[in-house]
Amino acid sequence: MSILGTRVLRTEDPRFLTGRSIYTADLTDPRLNGAAHAYFVRSSIAHGVVEQISTATARQAPGVLAVYTARDLPMLPVPPGLRPLEPQMHRAPLATDRVRFVGEPIALVIARTEAEALDAAELIEIDIEPLDVVVDAHDAQRDEVLLFPSAGTNVTISHGQQEADPRLFDDCEVVVEQDIVNQRIAVVPMEGRAGACVWDGDGRLTMWLSNQGAQASQAELAMMLGIDTAQVHVITPDVGGGFGAKVRCEPEHAVIAAAARLLDRAVLWVEHRSENMLAMHGRAQHQRVRIGGSRDGTISAYSLALLQDAGAYPRIGAMLPNNTLRMAQGCYDIPRVETSSTSVVTNTVPVVAYRGAGRPEAAAAIERAVDLFAAEIEMDPAEVRRRNFVDTFPFQTHSDVVYDSGDYPGALAKVLAAAGYDTLRAEQRTRRERGDVVQLGLGLATYVEITMGAGTENATVELHPDGTVTVLTGTSPHGQGHATSWAMIVSDQLGVPMEAITVLHGDTDLIPVGGGTGGSRSLQLGGVAVQHATYDLVEEIKKRAADVLEANPNDIEIDKQSQSVVVRGAPSTAIPLGALAETEDLSAYHVYKGESPTYPFGAQLAVVEVDTETGFARLRDIFTCDDAGKILNPMLFDGQRHGGIAQGASQALYEEFVYDEYGNPMTATLVDYAFPTAADLPEYSLSTQETPTPHNTLGAKGIGEAGTIGATPAVHNAVIDALAPYGVRHLDMPLSPQRVWQAIDEATVAPSTRRTWINEYTVD
């Protein structure tokens, strides 16, 4: 029986649960003994010209070793993160003549202790001449206030069909349109950004980073420092959460490395929570949807126009609409689809990738649009979805992506059955007829997302004389459970117990090439690379055993139960696996190239209760069915779903990062920035479905972001559904008590009015 597909406890957890994990702040490498502490002085002005920086007093403060500004640390500017972004929108690692957002680093204090560095930072005086500020993306698009005058525009990139087709909706009986704000949110990982660094006598940098990919960070560090990549050694210790926001090296990391070189001393920087809130933001997308079709529920046309707020400097955030446009039509076979996007810079924190990175935004748009269409034609939203699903695979969309495999009706049916959809609708009707204070809302979302099954990843599997195995992987876990998963894959072929398998990652000296972790790529690229490296190792084992046993390699087989090799039909010939590695290394290296992305999908139903007197919306239940192909480990699969659902629901109900008109952050602490506790979330009902992808030998698709993608529109739709008797058709997220209460207070429809569905959906 194969271990693959079974619930296996995470081998990483004892270390994490007993406090033996090593994060950047916990490093004990002797090279870091006596490391100095770094603290950044940041702009309190959203936009202005830096006139003067006075550091003399700070330099004389107790414990201070150095104070650096951009003049002291000549470094290469950070170019826009991805081509073809506007090339003139560079960022200096430390601000030079201009600052463009509150929180932009201007100076660096190095001191013996963190407290001394912080105290000295308070003594630095910075004179900034304020400039006009642009915070709203629509205002930025008008180019009246320019962040980069030399560029002549705030637009950093545009995609898609900028001129709308006036005939797109000509044959539609019903057309609905809506502006939707997919609000800016903070990433809030448990561990913020962090780095520790030391230079050796040969001028080589070793840097420890809380990061999702050592190899990419190595290249970026070398670029910013102006040195060869071979002079940079990056190590990734345990990482306390990334969610896509730590896929790249940060300017601050390069600054502390440059400071350590100049000071000739090891330096440690661990970001405070207040700093992190001014550094990691996601989403920030403005959407205009139009959807049209017939009163029989058929959707004929859909358009999506996006305006992406990239923040002050265009990096990956400016490119996120690419993913949104690619996945615009979701699970639906819509004859005509039109998409466009524009990304602009504003005087706000640069936007980074956040769990789903453009795909949740696509699902949020199409799933709200489908519910708006269903409300307009007075048909149950489950029935509208069922009538428009893609049902033939592979399926090529209007954005030229090809869905590999799927069963969208099956996922929806499982969710509706698990929830008792008919019973819930009956409960809802009863509450509406009674005029209950607490109204029930049901919100559906079906989703399909693109995950990175295309690309390359490498793995090495080494067999040791004592029978243990080491796996070297180019992926970089930060909670995904790679140590467990990769050990399962190796154990499945060799029979070696999982506790005898060590997985190493995140060290550019050990693993010079690797893609890291992001875009739900790990299992379908990194895991498959491990699988194929183990295949190759098995063949090497058979060849070596054949030489020892003087047999044909085709007659050699591995006895997994005894972890030995035998000649088929002659068990007395058994040789322990480890014995074959005693005289010479026995290992295999494999580079796996994935040819095509994969497309996980699923359905979610959220059940909310809305107190109409206070506006408070409580998530009572959530039912999901997620299909990510073949499941390697159901425990890890469910763990990813749990976290994703929580984050998706949180965006719908709680989270929003807000600026005032002057670019001052209004929700920069956890006192002001809301998100749920465990007590605010219900038990999840998780159904599974397995539709393997043909694109890799594990049959696996990604699962890391799926929960987030489905949960946000499901919960959003549920709250709007609860407010339907009041005539509310749409509210932007987050659906806070204040926002919901105001909508009820301004309602123009009597609460006794209740929606009547045409062709009510019945669960088979």
Side-chain angles (χ1 to χ4, degrees):
M1 177 180 174
S2 173
I3 192 174
L4 305 185
T6 64
R7 298 183 74 87
V8 176
L9 291 175
R10 285 166 43 112
T11 58
E12 302 94 327
D13 284 351
R15 184 168 57 83
F16 287 116
L17 295 173
T18 56
R20 290 182 286 120
S21 50
I22 303 295
Y23 299 94
T24 303
D26 308 317
L27 291 166
T28 58
D29 191 290
R31 290 173 290 177
L32 295 174
N33 289 344
H37 291 260
Y39 186 82
F40 286 92
V41 180
R42 300 175 182 275
S43 176
S44 59
I45 302 293
H47 196 198
V49 176
V50 180
E51 301 280 3
Q52 186 175 355
I53 307 173
S54 300
T55 63
T57 304
R59 293 176 192 272
Q60 302 303 314
V64 171
L65 302 173
V67 178
Y68 297 124
T69 66
R71 290 184 179 181
D72 306 307
L73 297 174
M75 298 173 63
L76 296 178
V78 184
L82 296 167
R83 291 188 177 91
L85 298 176
E86 169 55 53
Q88 298 187 64
M89 296 179 178
H90 292 279
R91 175 180 180 179
L94 285 177
T96 52
D97 59 335
R98 184 178 290 216
V99 291
R100 294 180 173 87
F101 68 96
V102 171
E104 183 165 2
I106 300 174
L108 176 69
V109 178
I110 307 287
R112 290 175 303 186
T113 69
E114 184 181 19
E116 288 171 330
L118 197 154
D119 288 344
E122 306 255 346
L123 302 175
I124 295 177
E125 297 179 4
I126 303 174
D127 184 11
I128 300 176
E129 180 65 29
L131 297 171
D132 289 338
V133 172
V134 60
V135 173
D136 182 83
H138 295 91
D139 293 339
Q141 196 174 17
R142 289 194 284 270
D143 289 337
E144 294 171 358
V145 175
L146 293 176
L147 271 70
F148 299 87
S150 62
T153 181
N154 290 323
V155 174
T156 183
I157 195 168
S158 296
H159 290 106
Q161 186 175 338
Q162 298 300 309
E163 295 294 328
D165 181 355
R167 298 169 297 176
L168 192 70
F169 295 91
D170 278 358
D171 65 349
C172 296
E173 291 181 79
V174 176
V175 179
V176 184
E177 56 186 326
Q178 181 66 51
D179 289 320
I180 301 171
V181 177
N182 203 288
Q183 76 273 29
R184 175 184 288 260
I185 56 180
V187 177
V188 201
M190 290 288 284
E191 179 196 31
R193 299 175 301 169
C197 55
V198 64
W199 295 80
D200 65 23
D202 296 328
R204 189 166 190 257
L205 170 67
T206 297
M207 188 148 200
W208 294 260
L209 290 178
S210 176
N211 190 264
Q212 294 175 221
Q215 293 80 9
S217 295
Q218 177 193 38
E220 292 189 334
L221 268 173
M223 180 272 297
M224 284 186 269
L225 294 169
I227 61 178
D228 189 84
T229 304
Q231 292 178 268
V232 179
H233 176 202
V234 173
I235 302 171
T236 302
D238 290 323
V239 176
F243 308 118
K246 294 181 181 177
V247 295
R248 293 186 174 275
C249 175
E250 295 292 325
E252 285 91 337
H253 294 141
V255 171
I256 65 168
R261 177 169 55 180
L262 197 60
L263 193 60
D264 193 23
R265 183 164 179 169
V267 174
L268 171 68
W269 171 60
V270 178
E271 186 177 55
H272 292 182
R273 178 59 58 194
S274 57
E275 291 181 285
N276 183 261
M277 294 295 286
L278 296 178
M280 283 186 173
H281 292 178
R283 307 290 188 247
Q285 196 176 95
H286 302 260
Q287 305 170 331
R288 179 72 174 176
V289 299
R290 294 186 76 198
I291 189 167
S294 306
R295 292 196 175 276
D296 66 0
T298 302
I299 300 171
S300 303
Y302 175 64
S303 72
L304 173 63
L306 307 178
L307 181 59
Q308 175 69 55
D309 182 351
Y313 297 96
R315 298 196 78 193
I316 194 170
M319 298 297 291
L320 294 180
N322 259 352
N323 279 340
T324 308
L325 300 188
R326 283 202 288 180
M327 302 310 299
Q329 72 187 79
C331 298
Y332 309 109
D333 188 355
I334 304 174
R336 300 184 301 281
V337 176
E338 183 178 271
T339 62
S340 65
S341 73
T342 299
S343 297
V344 296
V345 289
T346 62
N347 292 120
T348 60
V349 170
V351 171
V352 297
Y354 176 64
R355 201 165 190 166
R359 288 102 82 199
E361 293 89 325
I366 186 66
E367 292 304 300
R368 279 299 300 131
V370 170
D371 260 35
L372 288 162
F373 179 74
E376 185 67 24
I377 65 173
E378 297 186 317
M379 183 176 288
D380 189 296
E383 179 65 17
V384 173
R385 286 172 169 81
R386 186 187 64 78
R387 293 187 183 198
N388 291 280
F389 278 145
V390 170
D391 60 6
T392 302
F393 296 89
F395 177 82
Q396 183 167 337
T397 72
H398 292 275
S399 54
D400 291 328
V401 302
V402 180
Y403 297 167
D404 50 349
S405 61
D407 178 6
Y408 304 159
L412 178 61
K414 281 195 170 188
V415 162
L416 298 178
Y421 188 65
D422 292 341
T423 301
L424 287 171
R425 284 293 183 201
E427 179 187 351
Q428 182 184 63
R429 285 193 294 272
T430 299
R431 291 196 189 200
R432 290 179 177 181
E433 289 164 354
R434 290 194 308 238
D436 286 4
V437 169
V438 178
Q439 287 291 316
L440 193 70
L442 309 181
L444 280 168
T446 54
Y447 73 89
V448 57
E449 62 151 327
I450 182 172
T451 59
M452 291 171 59
T456 60
E457 194 50 88
N458 72 95
T460 300
V461 182
E462 301 173 343
L463 176 63
H464 305 300
D466 61 357
T468 62
V469 173
T470 298
V471 178
L472 289 82
T473 175
T475 63
S476 185
H478 47 281
Q480 291 83 356
H482 293 180
T484 302
S485 300
W486 295 184
M488 289 175 67
I489 292 169
V490 173
S491 180
D492 182 61
Q493 293 188 54
L494 299 182
V496 175
M498 288 182 58
E499 58 269 21
I501 302 171
T502 301
V503 178
L504 301 178
H505 72 277
D507 187 319
T508 57
D509 278 5
L510 286 176
I511 309 147
V513 178
T517 293
S520 299
R521 74 187 295 274
S522 293
L523 181 58
Q524 56 191 321
L525 290 178
V528 175
V530 171
Q531 182 188 42
H532 283 265
T534 312
Y535 287 154
D536 296 342
L537 179 62
V538 167
E539 293 306 309
E540 290 300 315
I541 288 171
K542 289 181 178 180
K543 290 178 184 177
R544 189 166 297 183
D547 290 340
V548 173
L549 296 172
E550 297 182 349
N552 188 318
N554 294 329
D555 294 330
I556 300 293
E557 61 184 14
I558 294 178
D559 183 340
K560 298 178 185 178
Q561 187 171 359
S562 63
Q563 299 109 58
S564 62
V565 288
V566 297
V567 176
R568 189 177 294 109
S572 61
T573 60
I575 300 175
L577 287 174
L580 296 172
E582 288 179 349
T583 58
E584 187 179 354
D585 291 342
L586 194 49
S587 67
Y589 172 74
H590 190 93
V591 177
Y592 173 74
K593 183 176 182 180
E595 299 294 340
S596 176
T598 62
Y599 296 87
F601 63 92
Q604 294 198 20
L605 171 65
V607 182
V608 301
E609 292 183 319
V610 176
D611 188 321
T612 60
E613 293 182 343
T614 66
F616 178 70
R618 180 179 77 91
L619 181 58
R620 190 179 87 177
D621 292 295
I622 194 157
F623 301 87
T624 82
C625 179
D626 298 290
D627 191 322
K630 291 294 292 181
I631 299 172
L632 180 79
N633 183 335
M635 178 170 286
L636 297 178
F637 186 82
D638 289 350
Q640 288 291 309
R641 293 200 282 175
H642 272 260
I645 292 165
Q647 287 180 296
S650 183
Q651 180 180 0
L653 295 176
Y654 299 96
E655 298 188 52
E656 183 176 26
F657 199 96
V658 179
Y659 288 92
D660 70 12
E661 61 184 307
Y662 305 106
N664 297 309
M666 306 298 290
T667 51
T669 74
L670 297 186
V671 174
D672 309 300
Y673 187 86
F675 58 82
T677 67
D680 297 310
L681 297 170
E683 292 288 330
Y684 305 145
S685 173
L686 305 180
S687 301
T688 57
Q689 181 176 275
E690 295 183 75
T691 308
T693 179
H695 294 322
N696 64 69
T697 49
L698 285 173
K701 308 179 184 184
I703 190 58
E705 294 148 306
T708 308
I709 294 169
T712 301
V715 176
H716 193 179
N717 284 340
V719 176
I720 303 303
D721 183 56
L723 300 178
Y726 296 87
V728 176
R729 288 293 177 91
H730 180 77
L731 290 176
D732 282 323
M733 303 180 291
L735 298 163
S736 63
Q738 179 183 20
R739 188 166 287 175
V740 171
W741 184 87
Q742 285 177 336
I744 295 171
D745 187 56
E746 297 166 2
T748 58
V749 178
S752 60
T753 302
R754 65 185 180 89
R755 180 184 298 170
T756 301
W757 304 117
I758 297 174
N759 297 323
E760 286 196 357
Y761 192 96
T762 300
V763 179
D764 293 332

